[in-house]
Amino acid sequence: MKICLATRDSADTVWQEKFDKIEKTDVIVFGYNGLGLISYKKELSGETEYFQDLARLSKTAGAVVISGCDTDTYGVFRHSAVIADKGRLLGVSDSVYSIDDGEFVSGGNLKVYDTSAGKIGICVAEDLYFPQVFESLSLFDADLIVCVFKQENETMNFMFRAGAFVGGLDCVLVAKGYGCVADAKGKVSVSGRDNFVKAEVMPTREYKKISTKKRGYGKSPESAY
């Protein structure tokens, strides 16, 4: 699976001016630079066509295209990610968790999308800080987890690697000016701060045998517990 992480330019800029950088790629991922703020009211009225444009880009590229964005649902703001596949808009995923009080609130449930490149789970913004998100997406049978984040920070990098380990599968991350790929063991295989960070991933799963000691009743030759 060939992956291109577009870390700086908008989706429109890449399509119009730098399309040669993303050709012959299976999965193209933009951070929040990709689409910016999207108003559902304007999308529904036809005033803007961000979702359709992303679907058109995916058709032209013949690939799965994912982009982070902020969505405005009639005054309710959420961190989100849009996914399209070869001309079809597959859906919009919102962040499940929100940290502290702020303008942005949590949204819908986690989802794994069945795409031409395989089953892709989407991790949005601060959801990356919660390992159970990676575990859940893995249990939902994702082949790959794609994380879109706003600004790179040390905690983000640490939790991303931990998430890949917990999920036991390959994960990719795009933040502003930064792209990264971690394998099922939590090891970073590719990272960079170029405009386009490219990687080739062979989706694998890491199964772990886990045991715990539990207290309870048992018998021994001398006594019973």
Side-chain angles (χ1 to χ4, degrees), residues 1-38:
M1 184 190 299
K2 294 181 179 179
I3 299 173
C4 179
L5 310 178
T7 70
R8 298 183 187 278
D9 295 309
S10 69
D12 184 63
T13 298
V14 171
W15 190 7
Q16 300 297 331
E17 302 175 13
K18 304 177 182 179
F19 187 75
D20 61 307
K21 302 294 185 181
I22 62 172
E23 286 184 296
K24 300 178 182 179
T25 304
D26 299 308
V27 180
I28 304 161
V29 187
F30 294 87
Y32 283 82
N33 51 285
L35 293 176
L37 176 65
I38 297 177

PDB file of all heavy atoms in Angstrom, residues 1-38:
ATOM      1  N   MET A   1       0.849  -1.193   0.000  1.00  0.00           N
ATOM      2  CA  MET A   1       0.000   0.000   0.000  1.00  0.00           C
ATOM      3  C   MET A   1       0.887   1.246   0.000  1.00  0.00           C
ATOM      4  O   MET A   1       1.656   1.469   0.937  1.00  0.00           O
ATOM      5  CB  MET A   1      -0.897   0.007   1.233  1.00  0.00           C
ATOM      6  CG  MET A   1      -1.891   1.163   1.282  1.00  0.00           C
ATOM      7  SD  MET A   1      -2.744   1.302   2.871  1.00  0.00           S
ATOM      8  CE  MET A   1      -3.604  -0.279   2.953  1.00  0.00           C
ATOM      9  N   LYS A   2       0.794   2.054  -1.055  1.00  0.00           N
ATOM     10  CA  LYS A   2       1.578   3.278  -1.140  1.00  0.00           C
ATOM     11  C   LYS A   2       0.806   4.436  -0.519  1.00  0.00           C
ATOM     12  O   LYS A   2      -0.351   4.672  -0.865  1.00  0.00           O
ATOM     13  CB  LYS A   2       1.917   3.587  -2.596  1.00  0.00           C
ATOM     14  CG  LYS A   2       2.849   2.558  -3.232  1.00  0.00           C
ATOM     15  CD  LYS A   2       3.185   2.922  -4.661  1.00  0.00           C
ATOM     16  CE  LYS A   2       4.136   1.891  -5.263  1.00  0.00           C
ATOM     17  NZ  LYS A   2       4.467   2.207  -6.671  1.00  0.00           N
ATOM     18  N   ILE A   3       1.468   5.151   0.383  1.00  0.00           N
ATOM     19  CA  ILE A   3       0.815   6.221   1.129  1.00  0.00           C
ATOM     20  C   ILE A   3       1.574   7.525   0.942  1.00  0.00           C
ATOM     21  O   ILE A   3       2.813   7.553   0.981  1.00  0.00           O
ATOM     22  CB  ILE A   3       0.749   5.875   2.632  1.00  0.00           C
ATOM     23  CG1 ILE A   3      -0.059   4.584   2.840  1.00  0.00           C
ATOM     24  CG2 ILE A   3       0.138   7.014   3.429  1.00  0.00           C
ATOM     25  CD1 ILE A   3      -0.025   4.079   4.252  1.00  0.00           C
ATOM     26  N   CYS A   4       0.851   8.610   0.734  1.00  0.00           N
ATOM     27  CA  CYS A   4       1.440   9.943   0.634  1.00  0.00           C
ATOM     28  C   CYS A   4       0.799  10.841   1.686  1.00  0.00           C
ATOM     29  O   CYS A   4      -0.429  11.002   1.712  1.00  0.00           O
ATOM     30  CB  CYS A   4       1.233  10.527  -0.763  1.00  0.00           C
ATOM     31  SG  CYS A   4       1.902  12.200  -0.954  1.00  0.00           S
ATOM     32  N   LEU A   5       1.609  11.426   2.543  1.00  0.00           N
ATOM     33  CA  LEU A   5       1.131  12.318   3.596  1.00  0.00           C
ATOM     34  C   LEU A   5       1.444  13.761   3.184  1.00  0.00           C
ATOM     35  O   LEU A   5       2.611  14.152   3.106  1.00  0.00           O
ATOM     36  CB  LEU A   5       1.812  11.978   4.921  1.00  0.00           C
ATOM     37  CG  LEU A   5       1.770  10.489   5.324  1.00  0.00           C
ATOM     38  CD1 LEU A   5       2.513  10.271   6.634  1.00  0.00           C
ATOM     39  CD2 LEU A   5       0.342   9.993   5.413  1.00  0.00           C
ATOM     40  N   ALA A   6       0.403  14.522   2.875  1.00  0.00           N
ATOM     41  CA  ALA A   6       0.562  15.917   2.446  1.00  0.00           C
ATOM     42  C   ALA A   6       0.471  16.802   3.681  1.00  0.00           C
ATOM     43  O   ALA A   6      -0.618  17.029   4.208  1.00  0.00           O
ATOM     44  CB  ALA A   6      -0.507  16.287   1.423  1.00  0.00           C
ATOM     45  N   THR A   7       1.594  17.306   4.139  1.00  0.00           N
ATOM     46  CA  THR A   7       1.651  17.922   5.464  1.00  0.00           C
ATOM     47  C   THR A   7       1.442  19.431   5.486  1.00  0.00           C
ATOM     48  O   THR A   7       1.249  19.998   6.563  1.00  0.00           O
ATOM     49  CB  THR A   7       3.011  17.630   6.131  1.00  0.00           C
ATOM     50  OG1 THR A   7       4.037  18.363   5.453  1.00  0.00           O
ATOM     51  CG2 THR A   7       3.341  16.139   6.085  1.00  0.00           C
ATOM     52  N   ARG A   8       1.475  20.092   4.317  1.00  0.00           N
ATOM     53  CA  ARG A   8       1.442  21.557   4.349  1.00  0.00           C
ATOM     54  C   ARG A   8       0.372  22.191   3.452  1.00  0.00           C
ATOM     55  O   ARG A   8      -0.331  23.104   3.866  1.00  0.00           O
ATOM     56  CB  ARG A   8       2.820  22.118   3.945  1.00  0.00           C
ATOM     57  CG  ARG A   8       3.930  21.708   4.906  1.00  0.00           C
ATOM     58  CD  ARG A   8       5.250  22.343   4.521  1.00  0.00           C
ATOM     59  NE  ARG A   8       6.347  21.825   5.323  1.00  0.00           N
ATOM     60  CZ  ARG A   8       6.654  22.241   6.545  1.00  0.00           C
ATOM     61  NH1 ARG A   8       5.935  23.205   7.093  1.00  0.00           N
ATOM     62  NH2 ARG A   8       7.654  21.710   7.214  1.00  0.00           N
ATOM     63  N   ASP A   9       0.270  21.724   2.223  1.00  0.00           N
ATOM     64  CA  ASP A   9      -0.605  22.389   1.254  1.00  0.00           C
ATOM     65  C   ASP A   9      -2.058  21.965   1.413  1.00  0.00           C
ATOM     66  O   ASP A   9      -2.359  20.885   1.924  1.00  0.00           O
ATOM     67  CB  ASP A   9      -0.153  22.059  -0.170  1.00  0.00           C
ATOM     68  CG  ASP A   9       1.226  22.612  -0.474  1.00  0.00           C
ATOM     69  OD1 ASP A   9       1.439  23.814  -0.236  1.00  0.00           O
ATOM     70  OD2 ASP A   9       2.088  21.844  -0.943  1.00  0.00           O
ATOM     71  N   SER A  10      -2.951  22.819   0.906  1.00  0.00           N
ATOM     72  CA  SER A  10      -4.370  22.469   0.880  1.00  0.00           C
ATOM     73  C   SER A  10      -4.608  21.426  -0.207  1.00  0.00           C
ATOM     74  O   SER A  10      -3.799  21.259  -1.130  1.00  0.00           O
ATOM     75  CB  SER A  10      -5.218  23.709   0.598  1.00  0.00           C
ATOM     76  OG  SER A  10      -5.016  24.146  -0.739  1.00  0.00           O
ATOM     77  N   ALA A  11      -5.724  20.733  -0.115  1.00  0.00           N
ATOM     78  CA  ALA A  11      -6.062  19.727  -1.117  1.00  0.00           C
ATOM     79  C   ALA A  11      -6.206  20.384  -2.493  1.00  0.00           C
ATOM     80  O   ALA A  11      -5.779  19.817  -3.513  1.00  0.00           O
ATOM     81  CB  ALA A  11      -7.350  19.014  -0.717  1.00  0.00           C
ATOM     82  N   ASP A  12      -6.791  21.573  -2.533  1.00  0.00           N
ATOM     83  CA  ASP A  12      -6.982  22.266  -3.803  1.00  0.00           C
ATOM     84  C   ASP A  12      -5.645  22.642  -4.432  1.00  0.00           C
ATOM     85  O   ASP A  12      -5.453  22.494  -5.648  1.00  0.00           O
ATOM     86  CB  ASP A  12      -7.835  23.515  -3.585  1.00  0.00           C
ATOM     87  CG  ASP A  12      -8.157  24.219  -4.893  1.00  0.00           C
ATOM     88  OD1 ASP A  12      -8.830  23.609  -5.742  1.00  0.00           O
ATOM     89  OD2 ASP A  12      -7.722  25.370  -5.066  1.00  0.00           O
ATOM     90  N   THR A  13      -4.713  23.138  -3.628  1.00  0.00           N
ATOM     91  CA  THR A  13      -3.394  23.516  -4.142  1.00  0.00           C
ATOM     92  C   THR A  13      -2.664  22.312  -4.715  1.00  0.00           C
ATOM     93  O   THR A  13      -2.066  22.380  -5.790  1.00  0.00           O
ATOM     94  CB  THR A  13      -2.545  24.157  -3.025  1.00  0.00           C
ATOM     95  OG1 THR A  13      -3.179  25.353  -2.580  1.00  0.00           O
ATOM     96  CG2 THR A  13      -1.148  24.488  -3.521  1.00  0.00           C
ATOM     97  N   VAL A  14      -2.720  21.203  -3.994  1.00  0.00           N
ATOM     98  CA  VAL A  14      -2.060  19.984  -4.468  1.00  0.00           C
ATOM     99  C   VAL A  14      -2.682  19.516  -5.779  1.00  0.00           C
ATOM    100  O   VAL A  14      -1.978  19.145  -6.730  1.00  0.00           O
ATOM    101  CB  VAL A  14      -2.142  18.876  -3.406  1.00  0.00           C
ATOM    102  CG1 VAL A  14      -1.653  17.550  -3.971  1.00  0.00           C
ATOM    103  CG2 VAL A  14      -1.312  19.262  -2.181  1.00  0.00           C
ATOM    104  N   TRP A  15      -4.006  19.543  -5.836  1.00  0.00           N
ATOM    105  CA  TRP A  15      -4.699  19.088  -7.043  1.00  0.00           C
ATOM    106  C   TRP A  15      -4.363  19.968  -8.253  1.00  0.00           C
ATOM    107  O   TRP A  15      -4.074  19.482  -9.342  1.00  0.00           O
ATOM    108  CB  TRP A  15      -6.202  19.096  -6.781  1.00  0.00           C
ATOM    109  CG  TRP A  15      -7.022  18.437  -7.857  1.00  0.00           C
ATOM    110  CD1 TRP A  15      -6.562  17.746  -8.945  1.00  0.00           C
ATOM    111  CD2 TRP A  15      -8.451  18.403  -7.929  1.00  0.00           C
ATOM    112  NE1 TRP A  15      -7.621  17.284  -9.695  1.00  0.00           N
ATOM    113  CE2 TRP A  15      -8.780  17.673  -9.105  1.00  0.00           C
ATOM    114  CE3 TRP A  15      -9.465  18.906  -7.131  1.00  0.00           C
ATOM    115  CZ2 TRP A  15     -10.106  17.440  -9.484  1.00  0.00           C
ATOM    116  CZ3 TRP A  15     -10.779  18.673  -7.510  1.00  0.00           C
ATOM    117  CH2 TRP A  15     -11.101  17.948  -8.667  1.00  0.00           C
ATOM    118  N   GLN A  16      -4.383  21.286  -8.037  1.00  0.00           N
ATOM    119  CA  GLN A  16      -4.197  22.215  -9.150  1.00  0.00           C
ATOM    120  C   GLN A  16      -2.728  22.409  -9.546  1.00  0.00           C
ATOM    121  O   GLN A  16      -2.428  22.621 -10.730  1.00  0.00           O
ATOM    122  CB  GLN A  16      -4.800  23.584  -8.788  1.00  0.00           C
ATOM    123  CG  GLN A  16      -6.286  23.561  -8.487  1.00  0.00           C
ATOM    124  CD  GLN A  16      -7.128  23.146  -9.677  1.00  0.00           C
ATOM    125  OE1 GLN A  16      -6.757  23.376 -10.823  1.00  0.00           O
ATOM    126  NE2 GLN A  16      -8.264  22.519  -9.407  1.00  0.00           N
ATOM    127  N   GLU A  17      -1.810  22.336  -8.576  1.00  0.00           N
ATOM    128  CA  GLU A  17      -0.431  22.722  -8.857  1.00  0.00           C
ATOM    129  C   GLU A  17       0.613  21.615  -8.637  1.00  0.00           C
ATOM    130  O   GLU A  17       1.698  21.682  -9.218  1.00  0.00           O
ATOM    131  CB  GLU A  17      -0.052  23.923  -7.974  1.00  0.00           C
ATOM    132  CG  GLU A  17      -0.957  25.136  -8.171  1.00  0.00           C
ATOM    133  CD  GLU A  17      -0.638  26.264  -7.216  1.00  0.00           C
ATOM    134  OE1 GLU A  17       0.443  26.204  -6.566  1.00  0.00           O
ATOM    135  OE2 GLU A  17      -1.457  27.199  -7.095  1.00  0.00           O
ATOM    136  N   LYS A  18       0.294  20.615  -7.799  1.00  0.00           N
ATOM    137  CA  LYS A  18       1.326  19.632  -7.447  1.00  0.00           C
ATOM    138  C   LYS A  18       0.821  18.196  -7.565  1.00  0.00           C
ATOM    139  O   LYS A  18       1.236  17.317  -6.816  1.00  0.00           O
ATOM    140  CB  LYS A  18       1.814  19.894  -6.009  1.00  0.00           C
ATOM    141  CG  LYS A  18       2.332  21.316  -5.800  1.00  0.00           C
ATOM    142  CD  LYS A  18       2.747  21.560  -4.361  1.00  0.00           C
ATOM    143  CE  LYS A  18       3.212  22.995  -4.166  1.00  0.00           C
ATOM    144  NZ  LYS A  18       3.613  23.266  -2.755  1.00  0.00           N
ATOM    145  N   PHE A  19      -0.086  17.989  -8.521  1.00  0.00           N
ATOM    146  CA  PHE A  19      -0.702  16.666  -8.646  1.00  0.00           C
ATOM    147  C   PHE A  19       0.334  15.575  -8.918  1.00  0.00           C
ATOM    148  O   PHE A  19       0.156  14.424  -8.525  1.00  0.00           O
ATOM    149  CB  PHE A  19      -1.753  16.681  -9.755  1.00  0.00           C
ATOM    150  CG  PHE A  19      -2.551  15.413  -9.840  1.00  0.00           C
ATOM    151  CD1 PHE A  19      -3.546  15.133  -8.911  1.00  0.00           C
ATOM    152  CD2 PHE A  19      -2.286  14.474 -10.833  1.00  0.00           C
ATOM    153  CE1 PHE A  19      -4.275  13.956  -8.971  1.00  0.00           C
ATOM    154  CE2 PHE A  19      -3.016  13.294 -10.910  1.00  0.00           C
ATOM    155  CZ  PHE A  19      -4.010  13.036  -9.980  1.00  0.00           C
ATOM    156  N   ASP A  20       1.419  15.934  -9.588  1.00  0.00           N
ATOM    157  CA  ASP A  20       2.460  14.946  -9.892  1.00  0.00           C
ATOM    158  C   ASP A  20       3.083  14.357  -8.636  1.00  0.00           C
ATOM    159  O   ASP A  20       3.659  13.265  -8.667  1.00  0.00           O
ATOM    160  CB  ASP A  20       3.550  15.575 -10.760  1.00  0.00           C
ATOM    161  CG  ASP A  20       4.247  16.742 -10.079  1.00  0.00           C
ATOM    162  OD1 ASP A  20       3.537  17.675  -9.618  1.00  0.00           O
ATOM    163  OD2 ASP A  20       5.484  16.726  -9.978  1.00  0.00           O
ATOM    164  N   LYS A  21       2.951  15.065  -7.512  1.00  0.00           N
ATOM    165  CA  LYS A  21       3.536  14.584  -6.251  1.00  0.00           C
ATOM    166  C   LYS A  21       2.722  13.465  -5.612  1.00  0.00           C
ATOM    167  O   LYS A  21       3.224  12.742  -4.750  1.00  0.00           O
ATOM    168  CB  LYS A  21       3.652  15.741  -5.246  1.00  0.00           C
ATOM    169  CG  LYS A  21       4.480  16.915  -5.729  1.00  0.00           C
ATOM    170  CD  LYS A  21       5.941  16.546  -5.905  1.00  0.00           C
ATOM    171  CE  LYS A  21       6.776  17.772  -6.284  1.00  0.00           C
ATOM    172  NZ  LYS A  21       8.207  17.424  -6.489  1.00  0.00           N
ATOM    173  N   ILE A  22       1.459  13.335  -6.017  1.00  0.00           N
ATOM    174  CA  ILE A  22       0.588  12.349  -5.366  1.00  0.00           C
ATOM    175  C   ILE A  22       0.094  11.266  -6.323  1.00  0.00           C
ATOM    176  O   ILE A  22      -0.682  10.396  -5.928  1.00  0.00           O
ATOM    177  CB  ILE A  22      -0.635  13.029  -4.711  1.00  0.00           C
ATOM    178  CG1 ILE A  22      -1.490  13.743  -5.772  1.00  0.00           C
ATOM    179  CG2 ILE A  22      -0.192  14.007  -3.624  1.00  0.00           C
ATOM    180  CD1 ILE A  22      -2.811  14.269  -5.232  1.00  0.00           C
ATOM    181  N   GLU A  23       0.547  11.292  -7.574  1.00  0.00           N
ATOM    182  CA  GLU A  23       0.122  10.280  -8.537  1.00  0.00           C
ATOM    183  C   GLU A  23       0.610   8.895  -8.129  1.00  0.00           C
ATOM    184  O   GLU A  23       1.629   8.744  -7.444  1.00  0.00           O
ATOM    185  CB  GLU A  23       0.653  10.626  -9.933  1.00  0.00           C
ATOM    186  CG  GLU A  23      -0.057  11.783 -10.604  1.00  0.00           C
ATOM    187  CD  GLU A  23       0.452  12.012 -12.008  1.00  0.00           C
ATOM    188  OE1 GLU A  23       1.647  12.366 -12.158  1.00  0.00           O
ATOM    189  OE2 GLU A  23      -0.330  11.847 -12.950  1.00  0.00           O
ATOM    190  N   LYS A  24      -0.116   7.892  -8.577  1.00  0.00           N
ATOM    191  CA  LYS A  24       0.246   6.487  -8.365  1.00  0.00           C
ATOM    192  C   LYS A  24       0.411   6.172  -6.890  1.00  0.00           C
ATOM    193  O   LYS A  24       1.350   5.503  -6.456  1.00  0.00           O
ATOM    194  CB  LYS A  24       1.521   6.136  -9.134  1.00  0.00           C
ATOM    195  CG  LYS A  24       1.381   6.332 -10.639  1.00  0.00           C
ATOM    196  CD  LYS A  24       2.664   6.032 -11.374  1.00  0.00           C
ATOM    197  CE  LYS A  24       2.499   6.275 -12.873  1.00  0.00           C
ATOM    198  NZ  LYS A  24       3.751   6.022 -13.625  1.00  0.00           N
ATOM    199  N   THR A  25      -0.526   6.690  -6.095  1.00  0.00           N
ATOM    200  CA  THR A  25      -0.547   6.464  -4.646  1.00  0.00           C
ATOM    201  C   THR A  25      -1.882   5.838  -4.272  1.00  0.00           C
ATOM    202  O   THR A  25      -2.914   6.176  -4.837  1.00  0.00           O
ATOM    203  CB  THR A  25      -0.362   7.797  -3.893  1.00  0.00           C
ATOM    204  OG1 THR A  25       0.850   8.422  -4.321  1.00  0.00           O
ATOM    205  CG2 THR A  25      -0.291   7.561  -2.386  1.00  0.00           C
ATOM    206  N   ASP A  26      -1.858   4.913  -3.317  1.00  0.00           N
ATOM    207  CA  ASP A  26      -3.101   4.243  -2.907  1.00  0.00           C
ATOM    208  C   ASP A  26      -3.903   5.061  -1.904  1.00  0.00           C
ATOM    209  O   ASP A  26      -5.136   5.076  -1.943  1.00  0.00           O
ATOM    210  CB  ASP A  26      -2.775   2.872  -2.298  1.00  0.00           C
ATOM    211  CG  ASP A  26      -2.074   1.956  -3.282  1.00  0.00           C
ATOM    212  OD1 ASP A  26      -2.591   1.781  -4.397  1.00  0.00           O
ATOM    213  OD2 ASP A  26      -0.990   1.418  -2.942  1.00  0.00           O
ATOM    214  N   VAL A  27      -3.193   5.715  -0.973  1.00  0.00           N
ATOM    215  CA  VAL A  27      -3.855   6.502   0.076  1.00  0.00           C
ATOM    216  C   VAL A  27      -3.153   7.848   0.208  1.00  0.00           C
ATOM    217  O   VAL A  27      -1.929   7.904   0.363  1.00  0.00           O
ATOM    218  CB  VAL A  27      -3.823   5.773   1.439  1.00  0.00           C
ATOM    219  CG1 VAL A  27      -4.518   6.612   2.503  1.00  0.00           C
ATOM    220  CG2 VAL A  27      -4.479   4.404   1.339  1.00  0.00           C
ATOM    221  N   ILE A  28      -3.915   8.931   0.116  1.00  0.00           N
ATOM    222  CA  ILE A  28      -3.382  10.282   0.262  1.00  0.00           C
ATOM    223  C   ILE A  28      -4.035  10.907   1.493  1.00  0.00           C
ATOM    224  O   ILE A  28      -5.262  10.893   1.618  1.00  0.00           O
ATOM    225  CB  ILE A  28      -3.694  11.140  -0.978  1.00  0.00           C
ATOM    226  CG1 ILE A  28      -3.151  10.462  -2.239  1.00  0.00           C
ATOM    227  CG2 ILE A  28      -3.124  12.544  -0.827  1.00  0.00           C
ATOM    228  CD1 ILE A  28      -3.787  10.957  -3.520  1.00  0.00           C
ATOM    229  N   VAL A  29      -3.222  11.433   2.398  1.00  0.00           N
ATOM    230  CA  VAL A  29      -3.751  11.978   3.651  1.00  0.00           C
ATOM    231  C   VAL A  29      -3.291  13.420   3.832  1.00  0.00           C
ATOM    232  O   VAL A  29      -2.097  13.711   3.766  1.00  0.00           O
ATOM    233  CB  VAL A  29      -3.310  11.146   4.871  1.00  0.00           C
ATOM    234  CG1 VAL A  29      -4.028  11.643   6.132  1.00  0.00           C
ATOM    235  CG2 VAL A  29      -3.591   9.662   4.659  1.00  0.00           C
ATOM    236  N   PHE A  30      -4.251  14.305   4.056  1.00  0.00           N
ATOM    237  CA  PHE A  30      -3.973  15.699   4.392  1.00  0.00           C
ATOM    238  C   PHE A  30      -4.282  15.907   5.876  1.00  0.00           C
ATOM    239  O   PHE A  30      -5.193  15.287   6.423  1.00  0.00           O
ATOM    240  CB  PHE A  30      -4.870  16.646   3.587  1.00  0.00           C
ATOM    241  CG  PHE A  30      -4.622  16.637   2.111  1.00  0.00           C
ATOM    242  CD1 PHE A  30      -5.270  15.712   1.292  1.00  0.00           C
ATOM    243  CD2 PHE A  30      -3.765  17.554   1.531  1.00  0.00           C
ATOM    244  CE1 PHE A  30      -5.062  15.706  -0.080  1.00  0.00           C
ATOM    245  CE2 PHE A  30      -3.554  17.555   0.147  1.00  0.00           C
ATOM    246  CZ  PHE A  30      -4.195  16.621  -0.657  1.00  0.00           C
ATOM    247  N   GLY A  31      -3.540  16.821   6.499  1.00  0.00           N
ATOM    248  CA  GLY A  31      -3.895  17.224   7.853  1.00  0.00           C
ATOM    249  C   GLY A  31      -5.023  18.249   7.792  1.00  0.00           C
ATOM    250  O   GLY A  31      -5.800  18.301   6.835  1.00  0.00           O
ATOM    251  N   TYR A  32      -5.104  19.115   8.786  1.00  0.00           N
ATOM    252  CA  TYR A  32      -6.161  20.128   8.808  1.00  0.00           C
ATOM    253  C   TYR A  32      -5.909  21.241   7.797  1.00  0.00           C
ATOM    254  O   TYR A  32      -6.793  22.052   7.525  1.00  0.00           O
ATOM    255  CB  TYR A  32      -6.317  20.678  10.219  1.00  0.00           C
ATOM    256  CG  TYR A  32      -7.076  19.721  11.099  1.00  0.00           C
ATOM    257  CD1 TYR A  32      -6.439  18.647  11.708  1.00  0.00           C
ATOM    258  CD2 TYR A  32      -8.448  19.835  11.274  1.00  0.00           C
ATOM    259  CE1 TYR A  32      -7.142  17.731  12.478  1.00  0.00           C
ATOM    260  CE2 TYR A  32      -9.164  18.931  12.033  1.00  0.00           C
ATOM    261  CZ  TYR A  32      -8.500  17.889  12.635  1.00  0.00           C
ATOM    262  OH  TYR A  32      -9.206  16.976  13.380  1.00  0.00           O
ATOM    263  N   ASN A  33      -4.715  21.236   7.210  1.00  0.00           N
ATOM    264  CA  ASN A  33      -4.423  22.155   6.114  1.00  0.00           C
ATOM    265  C   ASN A  33      -5.216  21.791   4.857  1.00  0.00           C
ATOM    266  O   ASN A  33      -5.417  22.619   3.970  1.00  0.00           O
ATOM    267  CB  ASN A  33      -2.930  22.109   5.779  1.00  0.00           C
ATOM    268  CG  ASN A  33      -2.446  20.669   5.582  1.00  0.00           C
ATOM    269  OD1 ASN A  33      -2.287  19.957   6.568  1.00  0.00           O
ATOM    270  ND2 ASN A  33      -2.202  20.242   4.353  1.00  0.00           N
ATOM    271  N   GLY A  34      -5.672  20.566   4.776  1.00  0.00           N
ATOM    272  CA  GLY A  34      -6.312  20.074   3.561  1.00  0.00           C
ATOM    273  C   GLY A  34      -7.594  20.791   3.193  1.00  0.00           C
ATOM    274  O   GLY A  34      -7.789  21.192   2.045  1.00  0.00           O
ATOM    275  N   LEU A  35      -8.497  20.970   4.164  1.00  0.00           N
ATOM    276  CA  LEU A  35      -9.815  21.550   3.874  1.00  0.00           C
ATOM    277  C   LEU A  35     -10.161  22.757   4.732  1.00  0.00           C
ATOM    278  O   LEU A  35     -11.045  23.534   4.370  1.00  0.00           O
ATOM    279  CB  LEU A  35     -10.902  20.479   4.046  1.00  0.00           C
ATOM    280  CG  LEU A  35     -10.884  19.328   3.038  1.00  0.00           C
ATOM    281  CD1 LEU A  35     -11.951  18.291   3.405  1.00  0.00           C
ATOM    282  CD2 LEU A  35     -11.098  19.826   1.624  1.00  0.00           C
ATOM    283  N   GLY A  36      -9.534  22.890   5.893  1.00  0.00           N
ATOM    284  CA  GLY A  36      -9.855  24.029   6.759  1.00  0.00           C
ATOM    285  C   GLY A  36     -11.204  23.873   7.430  1.00  0.00           C
ATOM    286  O   GLY A  36     -11.586  22.784   7.850  1.00  0.00           O
ATOM    287  N   LEU A  37     -11.973  24.961   7.513  1.00  0.00           N
ATOM    288  CA  LEU A  37     -13.287  24.960   8.169  1.00  0.00           C
ATOM    289  C   LEU A  37     -14.382  24.740   7.133  1.00  0.00           C
ATOM    290  O   LEU A  37     -14.431  25.432   6.111  1.00  0.00           O
ATOM    291  CB  LEU A  37     -13.516  26.276   8.908  1.00  0.00           C
ATOM    292  CG  LEU A  37     -14.895  26.470   9.565  1.00  0.00           C
ATOM    293  CD1 LEU A  37     -15.098  25.452  10.679  1.00  0.00           C
ATOM    294  CD2 LEU A  37     -15.041  27.891  10.083  1.00  0.00           C
ATOM    295  N   ILE A  38     -15.280  23.798   7.412  1.00  0.00           N
ATOM    296  CA  ILE A  38     -16.385  23.491   6.509  1.00  0.00           C
ATOM    297  C   ILE A  38     -17.706  23.740   7.222  1.00  0.00           C
ATOM    298  O   ILE A  38     -17.942  23.229   8.317  1.00  0.00           O
ATOM    299  CB  ILE A  38     -16.330  22.031   6.034  1.00  0.00           C
ATOM    300  CG1 ILE A  38     -15.047  21.779   5.233  1.00  0.00           C
ATOM    301  CG2 ILE A  38     -17.553  21.688   5.187  1.00  0.00           C
ATOM    302  CD1 ILE A  38     -14.875  20.344   4.796  1.00  0.00           C
TER     303      ILE A  38
END
